Amino acid sequence: MTDRITAPARVCSNCDGFPTVRVTLGGRDRHGNLRTITVHCPACHGTGTRPVRTAQLVGGRA
């Protein structure tokens, strides 16, 4: 079997895989909608995963 095995994506430890959230600013606009902003995780930049360290890819213990 010569299938290539890809390393599993690691979930970001800062956001636990929920990289983008909507935060309410409080209050409503003149149409009655909530005022919200979108915030991305600063550690993973909105992807929800972190790269695997190279020591784990080699198979040695780090």
Side-chain angles (χ1 to χ4, degrees):
M1 295 182 18
T2 60
D3 293 341
R4 293 181 186 241
I5 299 173
T6 58
R10 295 181 50 180
V11 175
C12 176
S13 61
N14 290 348
C15 65
D16 289 330
F18 296 96
T20 304
V21 294
R22 308 262 318 170
V23 179
T24 60
L25 299 174
R28 296 183 180 265
D29 62 7
R30 62 186 176 102
H31 298 291
N33 298 325
L34 282 174
R35 294 185 302 155
T36 61
I37 58 173
T38 303
V39 182
H40 298 290
C41 175
C44 65
H45 304 290
T47 61
T49 59
R50 298 295 298 244
V52 178
R53 294 186 306 209
T54 57
Q56 290 177 342
L57 292 176
V58 173
R61 296 183 97 156

